[in-house]
Amino acid sequence: MEALIGQPLFDRSVKPAGLTEKGHVLYAHAEILLLQMATMVNDLKLSHQYKGTIRLGVSETIVQTWLARFLEQAARHFPMIDIDITVDVTPSMSVALRMGELDMSLMLGPNMIDGFSSVKLTEYAMKFYAVRGLTDDDFFNKKSKSHIPIITYPKNTSTYSAARDTILKRMGRMPRIFGNSSISTIEKMAVDGLGVALVAEGCISAAGLEKLEVVGQDIEISPLQFYAYFQSGVRGDIFELLADIAVQVATQKT
């Protein structure tokens, strides 16, 4: 294409490479053509014929709750599309979206990411879980002598920061918090009596719930809000349809 036009379309002096002025002009025209084709496909109801691979980033909370149902519904609507899944924390997925390493992500929000649209999926209340008898009624009281750690999401997440700040205000001292990116590991540590798990409601497995109970405290951590982020413009209609499926599945009562 550059040989045909006779000018560079990409500025390769920077990483990642960016579009030149002529590249932006070409991209704008290409985007219009692709959107026109997408409209035609939609009007002719040919969406089931879409082909290709979608690189999808997913938060583990969604993996533990409704990802399987989403993939099942997506396969019904798009039988010729492959979905390549990456499970990671929101900060890492946000970077991957900006770097072009992911096409779409189901993760915490709301956030503004240039070139990406977003749709709210659902939200989950945050709950404290512990084995019976591990904590007492004044667990978060200033007079509490307890040094039982909180086991929750990693340090670079909003939940970790919110838990630290909220509990610090309540107890007057810095709480012990163990961050972990694996919900199954958080659950296992809580079941083993190593601490109190702070995770989204619905993430603990049925087997885990047989051994854990909700720690009844009046302390509140803001609920986790999940959004679908997807590319605007090129192939945007595919992602909008996938986002619609995600909303329907996420809001289903199970």
Side-chain angles (χ1 to χ4, degrees), residues 59-178:
S59 293
E60 193 181 355
T61 298
I62 294 176
V63 174
Q64 299 286 349
T65 50
W66 49 266
L67 178 63
R69 287 184 286 125
F70 166 74
L71 294 175
E72 179 184 0
Q73 292 295 326
R76 289 182 184 177
H77 286 80
F78 304 105
M80 302 177 73
I81 283 183
D82 296 322
I83 300 181
D84 184 15
I85 298 172
T86 297
V87 181
D88 210 335
V89 293
T90 294
S92 297
M93 288 190 284
S94 297
V95 173
L97 286 171
R98 293 187 179 95
M99 296 292 288
E101 297 168 358
L102 290 176
D103 303 309
M104 183 177 186
S105 185
L106 310 178
M107 62 184 190
L108 291 174
N111 294 304
M112 292 294 294
I113 302 178
D114 290 341
F116 286 81
S117 301
S118 64
V119 174
K120 185 175 181 179
L121 301 173
T122 188
E123 63 179 47
Y124 292 98
M126 297 297 295
K127 299 290 185 180
F128 293 93
Y129 296 89
V131 291
R132 294 171 182 82
L134 181 67
T135 66
D136 49 32
D137 293 337
D138 65 348
F139 181 58
F140 292 115
N141 190 287
K142 286 186 177 181
K143 297 180 180 179
S144 173
K145 299 289 193 295
S146 174
H147 290 282
I148 300 172
I150 305 297
I151 311 168
T152 190
Y153 303 106
K155 279 187 176 182
N156 59 346
T157 62
S158 58
T159 299
Y160 185 101
S161 300
R164 179 196 60 207
D165 296 344
T166 303
I167 299 173
L168 173 61
K169 288 182 180 179
R170 174 65 67 88
M171 301 183 72
R173 65 172 184 267
M174 190 64 70
R176 295 177 66 202
I177 302 180
F178 296 164

Side-chain angles (χ1 to χ4, degrees), residues 60 129 150-154 178-199 204 212:
E60 193 181 355
Y129 296 89
I150 305 297
I151 311 168
T152 190
Y153 303 106
F178 296 164
N180 198 297
S181 60
S182 169
I183 293 177
S184 59
T185 301
I186 293 174
E187 177 181 323
K188 177 67 166 56
M189 293 174 69
V191 168
D192 290 343
L194 301 178
V196 177
L198 172 60
V199 294
I204 300 295
L212 300 173

